[in-house]
Amino acid sequence: METIKIAGFGGSFRKESYSRYLLENAVNLMPENSKLEILDISNFPTMNQDEENNYPENVRKFKKQIRESDGVLIVTPEYNYSIPGYLKNVLDVASRPYGDNPFDGKPVAIMSSSIGMLGGSRAQYHLRQVCVFLNMIPVNTPEVFMTFAQQKFDEKGKLKDDMTAKFAGQLLQNLVNLAIQLKK
């Protein structure tokens, strides 16, 4: 059986970001015959339609990695009731110029994290709106909202919460299943 390739990226650059920890732990939660590759979104230029045909090599590489993947995983924190501006910028830059959207038709799973009791749910719902416009196919269940994220990892960033691991693992399984279905 062919290995299903999932491209993953997150919405935070903070060194000890809970979203980054969740994304890194997802590598070990992937189902059999699948692989999560964490993509580098650092140093993306600011969206500028005047430059959209001349973006640097890192943007072209990112777009190629998305195109070559069978699905996408995005893990985001919540900032001011929404997604981080930088994450939105990455999606805007990578989906341009018009007609050159590597996300088109890709299955996408979303996880969010927060130190609060809503687990980034508002950010996740805003991100889903963006994904709909980009014509991505969302995996709807289970919704993975990591609440009180500061309690869910050990001092090295390893996930220690069994319920989060269970739901994240199921979401990843559903993403892989959808990717397989869409490849047929």
Side-chain angles (χ1 to χ4, degrees), residues 106-110 128 131-132 136-140 178:
K106 293 284 180 187
V108 60
I110 300 170
R128 285 175 181 272
C131 291
V132 166
M136 298 176 85
I137 303 165
V139 176
N140 292 317
L178 181 57

Side-chain angles (χ1 to χ4, degrees), residues 15-33:
K15 193 176 199 177
E16 295 181 1
S17 161
Y18 301 119
S19 294
R20 180 186 310 274
Y21 287 164
L22 185 55
L23 178 62
E24 291 170 352
N25 279 270
V27 169
N28 298 319
L29 298 172
M30 294 299 294
E32 191 174 323
N33 296 319

Side-chain angles (χ1 to χ4, degrees), residues 118-179:
L118 296 180
S121 60
R122 293 169 292 217
Q124 193 171 133
Y125 291 142
H126 284 178
L127 182 54
R128 285 175 181 272
Q129 290 176 320
V130 175
C131 291
V132 166
F133 181 80
L134 296 176
N135 199 37
M136 298 176 85
I137 303 165
V139 176
N140 292 317
T141 60
E143 292 178 312
V144 178
F145 306 122
M146 178 185 275
T147 61
F148 307 111
Q150 69 277 19
Q151 301 170 8
K152 308 287 170 86
F153 299 97
D154 68 17
E155 62 282 346
K156 295 182 179 177
K158 184 175 178 347
L159 185 62
K160 63 180 186 177
D161 183 70
D162 292 338
M163 288 303 288
T164 300
K166 175 185 172 186
F167 286 111
Q170 185 60 57
L171 179 69
L172 294 167
Q173 180 68 63
N174 292 348
L175 174 61
V176 168
N177 291 348
L178 181 57

Side-chain angles (χ1 to χ4, degrees), residues 1 9 14 17 41 48 82 84 120 146 184:
M1 177 184 244
F9 54 97
R14 191 169 65 86
S17 161
I41 62 169
N48 179 346
S82 190
M146 178 185 275
K184 292 181 181 178

Side-chain angles (χ1 to χ4, degrees), residues 96-115:
R96 300 291 302 177
Y98 182 78
D100 186 23
N101 172 14
F103 300 109
D104 187 31
K106 293 284 180 187
V108 60
I110 300 170
M111 296 185 208
S112 56
S113 66
S114 170
I115 60 172

Side-chain angles (χ1 to χ4, degrees), residues 7 36 40 51 54 64-65 70-71 79 81-82 84 89 103 105 114 127 136 164-165 170 184:
L36 173 63
D40 181 10
E51 297 296 321
N54 300 309
K64 182 177 188 277
Q65 290 170 305
D70 299 305
Y79 294 165
Y81 285 15
S82 190
N89 181 73
F103 300 109
S114 170
L127 182 54
M136 298 176 85
T164 300
Q170 185 60 57
K184 292 181 181 178

Side-chain angles (χ1 to χ4, degrees), residues 39-53:
L39 306 187
D40 181 10
I41 62 169
S42 63
N43 300 313
F44 254 61
T46 302
M47 173 63 188
N48 179 346
Q49 201 167 354
D50 292 337
E51 297 296 321
E52 68 185 16
N53 290 304

